[in-house]
């Protein structure tokens, strides 16, 4: 049986989750170790190499990438032309310095120099072109970013639903959800904006440098001397920013995880009057996040000071030198020096280069953050479930329900020193109703976990209809079962949707029939909108008994060959329990039924009772046979029936 999200997968597991698999098989353990290792390496330099792993997602949209680059080039060309437009306007529209300039203007404008409007029209056309192509560049890169992130999120979620429950024992659900949301948002910002601006800055920077060399190679060399003075300190500071960014991300994930846990169990929090503790813990986590952000902002402010301080000082020096060149131009009658238009155009291109360098240093830190986020997301995509289908799985279209455990031994990976199942052997015939009873921790729920193949055993065989369950695909195997659990996981949505979860595509009439069989129809009809009433997150608006009846209806609707009942009626009142028991008895006539029960009154009519203790089968028989044996079952029965069970 597959579950729809990471949180529900974690919920589905039984009370004791696995211990002792080989570490080479423990994907969850590997990722948990990676998470801790990442936290230990916060201060070390990282690279943007992990961003290359995004290329397979980007390469799916070659036309969008191609359109982006076309409009990027056109927008950069228009932006570079603005400096030339300023030169023409300055030299030809405002200043008539020499005959050389006048001749140049006449040739360029193909008209009279006194026609100032033509120069401004030229500049307006360039501005419009830059705006149009810039908007199209932004549109295509933004669409690409959204499309890639949507694909990544779907791929991650798809992988999460395939991972084994063991993974979610090793890695906190909050950490996983943080990767699915926060980390992918970081990647989206880089693809959709930072990378675009970085490429644009590089393109316009290179173009500006080339034009600057043609205007004045001396001034260009002067500007290039400013670059290293800006880049070196910002690269060093950028490493510190990345470290603090990662720290703030980790603190934010901790705060979110803590809030999710406490809000998900708000009634428990309030019942134990632990609101103040939860508020204090969340406040501490948020404060730690704020402190990390504050440090990052301080360091980034220092980097901004360096970039703009050196940049603006350098630009003033460039204009100072340029002003002297303009004076030389006028004094020499145009033979040496630069025109006023040259110096203004050069200033625009120089500012483009310097600001581009400053932006790239800031973008570098963003790329490093996104690189770390990409690494974490790709770790999830690289995870492989422990439970997989064989290369050529056997087919089991409609099982009859014969089940056999043969010398099964099992140890949960989380408790390697404690063996949960010890040499378990039993056989269940098709259509038989068998109860599993015994004290808590005897291994009853683990039988269900192994049977559903949420975990593989260390030794022994488990078969259904004489087919080893490891020879089947997990999906094919789990289609043979319908399960009702003690702590029933339900979902947000309507009662109709929750019941139909048992069998996709079931008609409304089938859903209603299942609800009636589970004695849920009457209370559903009393809801404000009947079967279409929204039950809230995890169906919190229902009582425990109502939730359990919905789960029972879901199992009835599934109509699988094998019915698994784990304390399925524990939350029902006596009258409802009796009615539901009758429904189960009717269903059991055509199905194999396994019942886990602590209340022995619910299994008196079972065809056979298997008594378990400390992971072993200690007794097997009917209720009356086991009472006569005066073993563990008889002792449990006497406790529950006030000593009257054996009388």
């Amino acid at each position: 049986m597959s579950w729809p999200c990471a949180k529900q997968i974690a919920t589905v597991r039984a009370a004791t989750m696995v211990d002792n698999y080989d570490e080479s098989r423990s994907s969850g353990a590997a990722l948990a170790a990676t998470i801790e290792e990442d936290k230990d390496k916060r201060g070390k330099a990282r690279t943007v190499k992990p961003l290359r792993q995004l290329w397979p997602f980007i390469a799916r949209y070659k036309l969008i990438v191609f359109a982006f680059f076309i409009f990027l080039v056109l927008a950069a060309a228009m932006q570079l032309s603005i400096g030339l437009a300023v030169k023409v306007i300055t030299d030809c529209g405002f200043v008539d310095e020499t005959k050389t300039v006048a001749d140049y203007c006449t040739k360029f404008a193909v008209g009279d120099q006194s026609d100032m409007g033509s120069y401004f029209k030229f500049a307006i056309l360039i501005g419009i072109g830059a705006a149009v192509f810039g908007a199209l560049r932004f549109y295509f890169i933004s669409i690409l970013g959204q499309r890639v992130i949507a694909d990544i999120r779907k791929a991650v979620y798809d992988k999460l639903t395939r991972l084994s429950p063991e993974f979610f024992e090793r890695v906190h659900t909050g950490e996983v959800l943080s990767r699915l949301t926060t980390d992918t948002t970081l990647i989206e910002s880089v693809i959709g904006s930072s990378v675009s601006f970085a490429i644009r800055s590089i393109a316009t920077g290179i173009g500006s440098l080339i034009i600057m060399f043609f205007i004045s190679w001396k001034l260009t060399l002067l500007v290039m001397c400013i670059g290293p003075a800006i880049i070196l300190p910002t690269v060093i500071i950028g490493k510190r920013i990345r470290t603090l960014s990662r720290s703030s991300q980790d603190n934010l994930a901790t705060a979110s995880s803590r809030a999710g846990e406490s809000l998900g169990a708000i009634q428990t929090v309030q019942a134990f009057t632990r609101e103040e503790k939860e508020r204090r813990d969340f406040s501490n986590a948020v404060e730690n996040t704020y402190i990390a952000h504050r440090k990052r902002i301080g360091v980034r402010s220092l980097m901004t000071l360096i970039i703009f301080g050196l940049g603006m000082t350098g630009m003033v020096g460039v204009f100072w030198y340029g002003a002297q060149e303009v004076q030389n131009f006028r004094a020499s009658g145009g033979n040496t020096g630069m025109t006023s238009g040259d110096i203004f155009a050069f200033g625009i291109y120089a500012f483009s280069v310097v600001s581009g360098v400053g932006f790239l240093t800031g973008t570098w830190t963003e790329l490093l953050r996104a690189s770390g986020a990409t690494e974490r997301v790709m770790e999830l995509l690289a995870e492989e479930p422990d439970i997989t289908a064989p290369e050529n799985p056997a087919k089991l279209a409609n099982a009859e329900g014969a089940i056999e455990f043969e010398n099964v031994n099992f140890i949960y990976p989380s408790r390697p020193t404690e063996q949960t199942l010890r040499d378990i052997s039993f056989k269940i015939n098709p259509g038989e109703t068998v109860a599993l009873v015994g004290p808590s921790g005897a291994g009853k729920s683990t039988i269900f976990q192994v049977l559903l193949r949420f975990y593989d055993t260390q030794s022994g065989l488990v078969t259904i209809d004489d087919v080893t369950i490891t020879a089947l695909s997990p999906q094919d195997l789990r289609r043979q079962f319908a399960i009702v659990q003690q702590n029933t996981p339900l979902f947000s949505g309507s009662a109709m949707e929750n019941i139909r979860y048992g069998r996709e595509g079931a008609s409304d009439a089938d859903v209603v029939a299942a609800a009636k069989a589970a004695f849920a129809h009457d209370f559903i009809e009393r809801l404000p909108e009947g079967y279409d009433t929204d039950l809230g997150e995890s169906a919190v608006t229902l009582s425990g008994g109502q939730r359990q009846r919905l789960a029972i209806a879901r199992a009835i609707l599934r109509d699988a060959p094998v019915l698994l009942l784990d304390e399925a009626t524990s939350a029902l009142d006596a009258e409802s329990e009796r009615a539901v028991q009758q429904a189960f008895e009717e269903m059991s006539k055509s199905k194999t039924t396994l019942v886990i029960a602590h209340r022995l009154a619910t299994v008196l009519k079972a065809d056979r009772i298997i008594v378990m203790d400390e992971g072993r089968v200690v007794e097997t028989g009917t209720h009356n046979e086991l009472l006569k044996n005066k073993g563990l079952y008889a002792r449990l029965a006497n406790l529950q029936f006030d000593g009257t069970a054996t009388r």
Side-chain angles (χ1 to χ4, degrees):
M1 183 181 297
S2 60
W3 306 98
C5 71
K7 188 175 181 180
Q8 293 296 344
I9 295 175
T11 305
V12 161
R13 60 183 185 259
T16 52
M17 290 316 240
V18 342
D19 324 317
N20 196 29
Y21 272 13
D22 248 353
E23 216 166 272
S24 59
R25 300 184 60 199
S26 179
S27 61
L31 184 52
T34 302
I35 292 170
E36 293 305 317
E37 184 181 352
D38 281 348
K39 293 178 180 178
D40 292 338
K41 292 182 177 179
R42 288 174 188 167
K44 296 185 179 180
R46 299 290 295 273
T47 69
V48 296
K49 288 183 180 179
L51 292 175
R52 292 185 295 187
Q53 298 176 77
L54 297 175
W55 177 246
F57 293 94
I58 297 173
R60 301 174 187 174
Y61 305 102
K62 293 183 176 64
L63 286 178
I64 296 179
V65 174
F66 177 75
F68 161 70
F69 276 106
I70 289 295
F71 290 114
L72 172 70
V73 171
L74 292 174
M78 291 295 101
Q79 186 173 342
L80 292 172
S81 299
I82 290 175
L84 297 177
V86 169
K87 170 181 169 52
V88 171
I89 290 173
T90 303
D91 285 339
C92 304
F94 295 114
V95 182
D96 184 10
E97 293 170 327
T98 66
K99 185 176 183 302
T100 303
V101 174
D103 292 342
Y104 156 76
C105 294
T106 302
K107 180 180 179 182
F108 184 86
V110 195
D112 188 355
Q113 181 186 0
S114 63
D115 184 12
M116 185 183 298
S118 62
Y119 307 126
F120 282 95
K121 291 175 185 177
F122 170 69
I124 289 172
L125 288 176
I126 291 177
I128 293 174
V132 171
F133 296 135
L136 289 171
R137 172 195 60 80
F138 173 78
Y139 173 80
F140 282 107
I141 194 62
S142 298
I143 288 295
L144 178 65
Q146 293 292 333
R147 185 65 267 171
V148 167
I149 290 306
D151 289 349
I152 289 175
R153 284 174 175 158
K154 288 190 290 185
V156 170
Y157 187 79
D158 181 68
K159 176 55 67 75
L160 290 174
T161 60
R162 297 174 187 273
L163 292 177
S164 309
E166 179 187 353
F167 173 86
F168 297 98
E169 283 298 303
R170 301 288 186 176
V171 181
H172 289 177
T173 304
E175 170 69 26
V176 173
L177 294 179
S178 176
R179 296 185 184 208
L180 184 61
T181 54
T182 306
D183 286 345
T184 53
T185 300
L186 279 175
I187 298 171
E188 175 189 351
S189 68
V190 167
I191 297 177
S193 60
S194 298
V195 169
S196 169
F197 289 127
I199 296 174
R200 185 199 64 181
S201 297
I202 292 171
T204 56
I206 293 173
S208 295
L209 278 174
I210 294 173
I211 296 174
M212 286 162 61
F213 265 106
F214 280 102
I215 295 175
S216 172
W217 64 268
K218 294 179 182 179
L219 278 180
T220 302
L221 292 178
L222 181 61
V223 170
M224 293 180 67
C225 291
I226 301 173
I230 298 176
I231 294 173
L232 290 178
T234 51
V235 167
I236 296 171
I237 295 173
K239 293 180 180 180
R240 177 61 177 162
I241 291 176
R242 185 202 166 277
T243 300
L244 294 172
S245 296
R246 188 176 184 88
S247 176
S248 63
Q249 287 174 250
D250 289 337
N251 287 325
L252 180 60
T254 300
S256 300
S257 177
R258 186 68 188 179
E261 288 179 354
S262 57
L263 293 178
I266 190 64
Q267 293 184 2
T268 302
V269 172
Q270 294 176 348
F272 283 90
T273 62
R274 304 291 280 180
E275 298 96 327
E276 183 59 35
K277 176 185 180 301
E278 293 299 330
R279 286 194 290 266
R280 187 169 59 251
D281 290 345
F282 181 76
S283 177
N284 290 337
V286 170
E287 279 300 311
N288 290 335
T289 303
Y290 163 73
I291 291 170
H293 277 301
R294 186 179 63 189
K295 291 179 179 178
R296 179 178 61 83
I297 292 169
V299 175
R300 185 122 192 204
S301 299
L302 176 61
M303 186 172 72
T304 302
L305 172 64
I306 293 173
I307 292 173
F308 282 94
L310 292 177
M312 296 307 295
T313 302
M315 289 301 298
V316 171
V318 167
F319 275 105
W320 188 357
Y321 181 86
Q324 295 176 349
E325 288 292 292
V326 171
Q327 290 178 347
N328 293 337
F329 183 84
R330 291 172 177 173
S332 66
N335 294 323
T336 61
M338 301 167 62
T339 68
S340 300
D342 286 334
I343 189 59
F344 277 113
F346 189 92
I348 290 174
Y349 291 124
F351 181 79
S352 176
V353 172
V354 173
S355 62
V357 170
F359 180 82
L360 287 175
T361 56
T363 302
W364 181 251
T365 62
E366 295 299 319
L367 290 175
L368 288 174
R369 291 183 67 197
S371 177
T374 300
E375 200 170 12
R376 289 189 294 273
V377 170
M378 292 305 163
E379 283 168 2
L380 285 180
L381 290 177
E383 284 297 320
E384 292 298 332
D386 295 324
I387 307 301
T388 57
E391 189 173 342
N392 296 303
K395 299 296 181 183
L396 193 64
N398 243 331
E400 294 182 4
I403 296 171
E404 183 173 3
F405 277 61
E406 184 179 343
N407 305 121
V408 171
N409 291 280
F410 177 71
I411 299 172
Y412 281 114
S414 59
R415 298 196 306 276
T417 60
E418 181 182 341
Q419 188 166 346
T420 307
L421 298 181
R422 304 168 185 269
D423 200 28
I424 294 291
S425 295
F426 60 81
K427 188 172 183 179
I428 301 174
N429 298 316
E432 190 175 15
T433 297
V434 175
L436 299 173
V437 303
S440 297
K444 305 182 296 297
S445 294
T446 303
I447 294 291
F448 282 15
Q449 297 287 314
V450 169
L451 189 56
L452 287 163
R453 208 185 165 206
F454 289 147
Y455 305 97
D456 281 335
T457 62
Q458 280 75 39
S459 64
L461 291 177
V462 181
T463 63
I464 179 169
D465 286 7
D466 297 324
V467 179
T468 304
I469 61 173
T470 54
L472 299 166
S473 71
Q475 290 73 28
D476 194 16
L477 169 68
R478 293 164 190 166
R479 289 190 189 99
Q480 314 308 319
F481 300 97
I483 186 170
V484 181
Q485 298 165 277
Q486 182 176 5
N487 298 315
T488 302
L490 295 176
F491 309 103
S492 57
S494 67
M496 180 72 73
E497 291 169 337
N498 269 281
I499 297 174
R500 188 176 279 127
Y501 197 80
R503 176 157 53 90
E504 188 177 6
S507 66
D508 290 355
D510 290 338
V511 171
V512 172
K516 288 180 177 179
F519 295 88
H521 177 72
D522 290 342
F523 88 78
I524 293 175
E525 284 288 287
R526 289 194 296 269
L527 295 174
E529 297 178 41
Y531 280 84
D532 294 325
T533 302
D534 190 340
L535 304 180
E537 184 179 3
S538 300
V540 294
T541 59
L542 301 182
S543 68
Q546 291 171 332
R547 289 164 54 85
Q548 206 153 27
R549 275 180 278 179
L550 277 188
I552 292 168
R554 185 169 65 188
I556 291 172
L557 182 67
R558 187 167 177 81
D559 195 28
V562 181
L563 184 61
L564 305 178
L565 306 176
D566 187 353
E567 292 288 342
T569 60
S570 60
L572 301 181
D573 58 78
E575 184 178 356
S576 297
E577 181 180 17
R578 179 57 189 154
V580 170
Q581 284 289 351
Q582 291 176 348
F584 281 151
E585 289 172 11
E586 188 65 29
M587 289 174 61
S588 299
K589 294 179 181 179
S590 59
K591 301 180 187 303
T592 301
T593 306
L594 274 74
V595 183
I596 293 176
H598 287 105
R599 292 193 295 184
L600 302 184
T602 62
V603 298
L604 297 179
K605 294 185 179 180
D607 297 320
R608 191 152 40 100
I609 298 172
I610 296 175
V611 185
M612 297 183 65
D613 189 25
E614 295 183 352
R616 294 186 176 89
V617 173
V618 294
E619 293 180 289
T620 302
T622 63
H623 172 72
N624 291 329
E625 291 171 348
L626 293 173
L627 289 180
K628 292 177 183 179
N629 290 344
K630 298 188 181 300
L632 175 60
Y633 182 85
R635 293 199 301 274
L636 294 173
N638 279 327
L639 289 172
Q640 292 192 26
F641 298 124
D642 297 325
T644 62
T646 57
R647 295 178 186 174

